[in-house]
Amino acid sequence: EPEVTQTPSHQVTQMGQEVILRCVPISNHLYFYWYRQILGQKVEFLVSFYNNEISEKSEIFDDQFSVERPDGSNFTLKIRSTKLEDSAMYFCASSVLRGQDTQYFGPGTRLTVL
Amino acid sequence: AQSVTQLDSHVSVSEGTPVLLRCNYSSSYSPSLFWYVQHPNKGLQLLLKYTSAATLVKGINGFEAEFKKSETSFHLTKPSAHMSDAAEYFCVVRGGGNTGKLIFGQGTTLQVKP
């Protein structure tokens, strides 16, 4: 069964450093998403992406964040200058369509900012 | 605005007894509602979804949920708990309109005792 994969599973970085989190969505899916979950808090929507552009983003997704689909398979989230409060589990998801369609989630990348 | 509230942060049951995880929603639209499960160190897996068809929705692993508009509830049930059901469960509503954004509840930890 096809699944969303994410690498790395755990990333440790120093405050101020740039990090890139990688995701490989399910191959025939067209919509891609990033969510995050700070320890002890709810899972929060960050951004959705379709046709090589952002279709929706939350207020969390400020100028420090960017997303890209650099090739036909990968979908990346870049944090330009990490802060302590960026420490969280980051989930990638994908769906065939937007609207009513089911989103399939990856296992997550745990980002720790020291 | 769409939102969900999971009424219990932690539920403990004995193996073989029924499971009830409670969720209330708030929506100005006809909602799309989901239950996702997260096992330790795993991604978020879709259990079931409601998208305005039958009000009783059957999911994987014997779980089901009933959409009750009059009570604005979407509780998750299972007749007989298994040890492997121990996990974190999330009630989720899709944001209004054609958005792909999912809005998560705070999660319920299900403990299953032998």
Side-chain angles (χ1 to χ4, degrees), chain B residues 4-99:
Chain B
V4 287
T5 302
Q6 292 182 244
L7 300 171
D8 308 290
S9 59
H10 189 268
V11 170
S12 182
V13 301
S14 297
E15 191 175 22
T17 64
V19 175
L20 170 65
L21 305 183
R22 299 183 295 164
C23 173
N24 286 349
Y25 71 90
S26 173
S27 173
S28 48
Y29 302 86
S30 180
S32 293
L33 291 159
F34 309 80
W35 277 97
Y36 280 85
V37 61
Q38 184 181 27
H39 291 274
N41 301 314
K42 301 282 189 185
L44 294 157
Q45 180 185 20
L46 180 70
L47 273 180
L48 49 81
K49 65 178 180 180
Y50 167 78
T51 53
S52 74
T55 56
L56 183 62
V57 183
K58 293 190 185 300
I60 62 171
N61 301 333
F63 284 94
E64 62 183 39
E66 186 170 8
F67 174 73
K68 291 188 177 180
K69 187 175 179 179
S70 60
E71 298 176 12
T72 61
S73 69
F74 190 58
H75 300 335
L76 182 70
T77 60
K78 182 173 181 177
S80 176
H82 192 272
M83 296 297 292
S84 60
D85 294 327
E88 185 87 7
Y89 291 79
F90 294 95
C91 183
V92 180
V93 66
R94 190 183 305 281
N98 199 33
T99 180

Side-chain angles (χ1 to χ4, degrees), chain A residues 3-36:
Chain A
E3 56 183 23
V4 177
T5 59
Q6 291 185 242
T7 54
S9 56
H10 191 190
Q11 173 96 42
V12 181
T13 190
Q14 295 290 325
M15 191 168 57
Q17 295 296 303
E18 175 183 285
V19 294
I20 297 176
L21 309 183
R22 290 183 167 80
C23 168
V24 178
I26 295 173
S27 62
N28 64 330
H29 286 190
L30 302 176
Y31 289 86
F32 314 115
Y33 312 84
W34 284 101
Y35 293 80
R36 79 172 184 191

Side-chain angles (χ1 to χ4, degrees), chain A residues 1-111:
Chain A
E1 184 179 321
E3 56 183 23
V4 177
T5 59
Q6 291 185 242
T7 54
S9 56
H10 191 190
Q11 173 96 42
V12 181
T13 190
Q14 295 290 325
M15 191 168 57
Q17 295 296 303
E18 175 183 285
V19 294
I20 297 176
L21 309 183
R22 290 183 167 80
C23 168
V24 178
I26 295 173
S27 62
N28 64 330
H29 286 190
L30 302 176
Y31 289 86
F32 314 115
Y33 312 84
W34 284 101
Y35 293 80
R36 79 172 184 191
Q37 184 182 29
I38 296 171
L39 190 64
Q41 297 186 24
K42 293 184 182 185
V43 176
E44 305 170 286
F45 169 80
L46 291 178
V47 66
S48 61
F49 189 85
Y50 169 71
N51 200 26
N52 282 319
E53 59 183 35
I54 290 173
S55 49
E56 189 175 5
K57 62 181 181 178
S58 71
E59 61 275 8
I60 302 167
F61 194 88
D62 61 21
D63 292 345
Q64 291 299 313
F65 291 90
S66 62
V67 289
E68 191 179 29
R69 189 153 162 83
D71 53 44
S73 58
N74 288 281
F75 178 51
T76 62
L77 174 70
K78 182 193 291 186
I79 309 174
R80 237 176 295 281
S81 176
T82 49
K83 308 183 187 85
L84 296 176
E85 54 265 36
D86 293 328
S87 295
M89 180 73 91
Y90 288 81
F91 293 104
C92 174
S94 69
S95 63
V96 177
L97 303 170
R98 199 168 57 174
Q100 302 293 315
D101 203 28
T102 298
Q103 292 179 27
Y104 294 87
F105 284 79
T109 292
R110 179 162 298 286
L111 176 64

